[in-house]
């Protein structure tokens, strides 16, 4: 997330009344059996998350005005046909900045654009019905839908006397949905816990050690997690700013409601990322890979790709990416970076603007096809120097591949050892017209065009 792009923060007093935690009922009114079973029925035939490629289906400051869910709805069929298996949505519930918010300043976890609070009824992205309709369309096209979960902090509470600080804090949350009222006791510091791993920007920091907070976030039948899953229809979770709370929170959420889970642990240290994934029992975005690709493709030194990354430590827990809504530093040679993550291990995520606006969609679709059909098995690096990088996937229920990335200004050729003996191979990108035959010892000469790549496999 990038909170510094917010349009401002103004705390709004929403209600003249208060409600004690003891007065809250366990099941929201108007929650019917049909509402719960409908999303479950529509999940039949979904592609397993991780079997294809993830689409980050937004960017920072998507158009306001409540149109974004409809934009996504219009694209999911094409994305599914291209080989996408899941879409990651921005935080979908009402936030402090209402119609202008990207959702990372959460106020009411149960308002998806149906209550007139925080300056609007709809969210920046649209209405609750438009969200559910879009999720239904995604499910009908075999796509899972990943929710962006922001539970480190809240925003938009009214001022109240705080016995734990001796002054007033913005910790009085009275959402119009009538669910998950919060007060000073639910934030740090309080009667049971002074702090956790980290607060952000001075915003009220939720205390996950409070049983009341745990109940409302994931444990109770009407918890945030179960409402997102059973009523709205989400299939997986992207946890925002997981440095701010302990990994057991993600683990308990996932164990309670299931679903693919990935954390935004923004750190380039591979050991730290690997520790977090093991402790949380969830995936993490491979920031180690991201920064090494930045060194390789922005710094013009492909030897950086030899360094350690999360996908090399634990590919099943690594979500690789070239850019996201927070950062877009790999600008030069960006298609080469996509050629890297879409031919290597890990679960690759592609960015909406890269796919829809900035890069060649035919090239992206070709790389997605290569990932889904050829990029199986373990990885062996065959050659790396400043300008050239060659690696092979050893195959798993497919023939595997050899990827040749060339960051120089001229065509390059190199002899490499493949997995194929006396076999005709071809470049599945179409960048090279060669169709060489491998020798009996598996060796073959390959080529790659300048500032480009080739991907070779059995013809």
């Amino acid at each position: 997330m990038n909170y510094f792009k917010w349009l401002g923060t103004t705390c709004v007093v929403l209600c003249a009344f208060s409600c004690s935690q003891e007065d809250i009922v366990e099941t929201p009114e108007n929650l019917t059996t049909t509402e719960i079973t409908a999303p479950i029925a529509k999940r039949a035939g979904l592609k397993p998350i991780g079997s294809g490629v993830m689409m980050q289906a937004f960017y920072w400051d998507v158009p306001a005005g409540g149109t974004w869910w409809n934009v996504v709805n219009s694209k999911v069929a094409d994305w599914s046909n291209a080989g996408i298996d899941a879409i990651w949505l921005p935080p979908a519930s009402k936030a402090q900045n209402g119609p202008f918010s990207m959702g990372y300043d959460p106020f009411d976890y149960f308002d998806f654009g149906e209550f007139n609070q925080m300056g609007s009824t709809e969210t920046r992205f649209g209405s609750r019905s438009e969200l559910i309709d879009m999720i239904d369309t995604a499910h009908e096209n075999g796509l899972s839908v990943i929710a962006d979960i922001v539970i480190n902090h809240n925003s938009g509470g009214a001022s109240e006397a705080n016995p734990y600080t001796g002054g007033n804090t913005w910790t009085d949350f009275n959402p119009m949905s009538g669910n998950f009222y919060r007060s000073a006791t639910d934030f740090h510091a309080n009667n049971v816990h002074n702090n956790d791993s980290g607060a952000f920007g001075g915003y009220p920091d939720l205390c996950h050690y409070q049983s009341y907070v745990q109940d409302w976030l994931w444990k109770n039948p009407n918890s945030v997690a179960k409402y997102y899953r059973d009523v709205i229809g989400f299939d997986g979770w992207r946890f925002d700013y997981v440095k701010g709370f302990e990994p057991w929170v993600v683990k308990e959420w996932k164990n309670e409601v299931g679903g693919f889970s990935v954390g935004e642990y923004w750190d380039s240290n591979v050991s730290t990322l690997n520790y977090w994934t093991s402790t949380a029992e969830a995936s993490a975005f491979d920031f180690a890979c991201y920064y090494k690709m930045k060194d390789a493709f922005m710094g013009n030194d492909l030897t950086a790709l030899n360094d350690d990354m999360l996908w090399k430590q634990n590919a099943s827990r690594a979500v690789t990416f070239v850019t996201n809504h927070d950062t877009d530093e790999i600008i030069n040679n960006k298609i080469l970076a996509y050629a890297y993550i879409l031919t290597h291990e890990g679960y690759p995520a592609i960015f909406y603007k890269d796919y829809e606006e900035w890069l060649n969609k035919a090239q992206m679709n070709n790389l997605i096809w290569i990932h889904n059909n050829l990029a199986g098995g373990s990885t062996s690096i065959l050659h790396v120097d400043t300008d050239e990088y060659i690696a092979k996937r050893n195959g798993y229920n497919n023939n595997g591949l050899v990827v040749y990335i060339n960051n120089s200004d001229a065509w390059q050729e190199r002899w490499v050892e493949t997995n194929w003996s006396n076999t005709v191979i071809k470049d599945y990108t179409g960048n090279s017209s060669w169709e060489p035959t491998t020798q009996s010892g598996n060796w073959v000469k390959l080529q790659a065009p300048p500032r480009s790549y080739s991907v070779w496999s059995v013809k």
Side-chain angles (χ1 to χ4, degrees):
M1 62 185 159
N2 191 329
Y3 296 91
F4 303 106
K5 294 180 181 175
W6 286 356
L7 297 178
T9 56
T10 55
C11 290
V12 179
V13 179
L14 296 173
C15 303
F17 63 91
S18 64
C19 179
S20 68
Q21 295 176 358
E22 290 77 12
D23 292 333
I24 299 171
V25 294
E26 286 297 318
T27 304
E29 295 181 1
N30 304 319
L31 181 58
T32 66
T33 302
T34 301
E35 285 182 299
I36 294 175
T37 57
I40 298 172
K42 292 174 181 176
R43 290 187 173 106
L46 293 185
K47 306 169 186 176
I49 298 179
S51 64
V53 175
M54 181 196 301
M55 171 68 75
Q56 181 177 354
F58 66 100
Y59 53 93
W60 196 265
D61 283 347
V62 300
T67 61
W68 191 249
W69 297 145
N70 292 334
V71 170
V72 174
N73 198 344
S74 71
K75 295 182 180 296
V76 292
D78 288 342
W79 292 346
S80 177
N81 290 334
I84 303 299
D85 67 8
I87 57 173
W88 157 28
L89 300 184
S93 60
K94 189 67 63 64
Q96 178 185 357
N97 282 305
F100 307 108
S101 176
M102 284 298 295
Y104 292 99
D105 49 341
F107 174 76
D108 188 343
Y109 288 102
F110 294 84
D111 178 4
F112 294 89
E114 59 204 291
F115 298 101
N116 188 1
Q117 57 183 338
M118 294 299 159
S120 68
T121 298
E122 291 191 347
T123 67
R124 182 188 191 104
F125 314 113
S127 67
R128 171 193 169 110
S129 61
E130 289 167 341
L131 169 64
I132 292 176
D133 185 50
M134 181 267 291
I135 291 174
D136 287 347
T137 303
H139 287 165
E140 290 164 4
N141 284 277
L143 297 182
S144 297
V145 184
I146 297 171
D148 204 319
I149 301 299
V150 187
I151 55 174
N152 175 73
H153 56 273
N154 289 167
S155 188
S159 178
E160 66 176 347
N162 190 327
Y164 310 107
T165 65
N168 276 44
T169 52
W170 303 97
T171 49
D172 182 19
F173 286 79
N174 290 278
M176 289 186 70
S177 68
N179 298 308
F180 197 14
Y181 290 89
R182 283 145 282 163
S183 65
T185 304
D186 305 312
F187 299 91
H188 295 114
N190 55 41
N191 58 317
V192 299
H193 202 231
N194 287 328
N195 61 274
D196 57 5
S197 296
F200 185 88
Y203 297 100
D205 187 54
L206 272 174
C207 177
H208 304 93
Y209 285 80
Q210 288 284 27
S211 59
Y212 174 81
V213 173
Q214 294 179 21
D215 288 344
W216 268 110
L217 285 181
W218 67 84
K219 286 185 176 180
N220 281 354
N222 59 324
S223 66
V224 172
K226 291 172 184 173
Y227 195 88
Y228 271 56
R229 180 193 65 184
D230 299 336
V231 179
I232 304 301
F234 284 104
D235 309 292
W237 323 102
R238 180 266 185 188
F239 291 91
D240 181 68
Y241 191 62
V242 295
K243 278 190 173 182
F245 48 91
E246 302 299 328
W248 63 262
V249 174
V250 171
K251 178 180 177 180
E252 288 205 10
W253 176 299
K254 178 183 65 71
N255 288 344
E256 183 71 28
V257 298
F260 172 84
S261 300
V262 57
E264 181 210 30
Y265 199 101
W266 197 321
D267 200 302
S268 63
N269 186 290
V270 178
S271 297
T272 301
L273 291 171
N274 202 24
Y275 168 80
W276 187 89
T277 61
S278 298
T279 307
E281 297 181 0
S283 297
F285 287 99
D286 194 346
F287 278 93
C289 177
Y290 170 79
Y291 284 110
K292 293 305 178 184
M293 288 194 297
K294 181 183 173 184
D295 293 340
F297 298 114
M298 293 299 293
N300 294 310
D301 184 3
L302 298 192
T303 62
L305 301 178
N306 243 345
D307 294 340
D308 208 2
M309 306 172 191
L310 180 60
W311 73 258
K312 296 182 182 182
Q313 293 277 339
N314 190 347
S316 66
R317 296 293 195 191
V319 176
T320 54
F321 66 101
V322 175
T323 190
N324 61 31
H325 60 294
D326 282 333
T327 183
D328 189 21
E329 299 173 293
I330 302 175
I331 301 172
N332 298 334
N333 307 312
K334 182 178 276 191
I335 193 65
L336 303 189
Y338 274 110
Y340 180 79
I341 68 168
L342 288 164
T343 55
H344 283 65
E345 292 172 75
Y347 179 31
I350 63 176
F351 185 53
Y352 178 93
K353 276 209 165 183
D354 286 340
Y355 184 81
E356 291 290 342
E357 299 180 23
W358 292 339
L359 299 179
N360 183 295
K361 187 178 289 189
Q363 284 184 297
M364 293 290 285
N365 284 340
N366 171 251
L367 286 170
I368 293 169
W369 185 92
I370 286 170
H371 172 270
N372 292 349
N373 292 277
L374 301 177
S378 60
T379 304
S380 303
I381 297 177
L382 304 179
H383 174 83
V384 61
D385 60 34
T386 302
D387 293 329
E388 296 173 77
Y389 174 89
I390 308 174
K392 69 176 179 178
R393 295 294 299 277
N394 293 306
Y396 182 78
N397 294 330
N398 56 36
N399 290 314
L401 59 79
V402 175
V403 56
Y404 191 159
I405 297 174
N406 174 16
N407 197 34
S408 74
D409 292 325
W411 279 84
Q412 298 291 341
E413 299 177 0
R414 191 166 294 275
W415 283 90
V416 295
E417 187 177 14
T418 71
N419 293 321
W420 314 300
S421 176
N422 298 317
T423 302
V424 178
I425 63 174
K426 73 170 189 175
D427 173 20
Y428 275 82
T429 72
N431 290 331
S432 171
S433 60
W434 277 10
E435 292 190 0
T437 300
T438 62
Q439 297 180 346
S440 58
N442 297 352
W443 285 83
V444 70
K445 181 190 279 189
L446 302 179
Q447 64 175 195
R451 303 290 177 181
S452 190
Y453 55 89
S454 53
V455 181
W456 305 82
S457 191
V458 175
K459 183 178 177 180

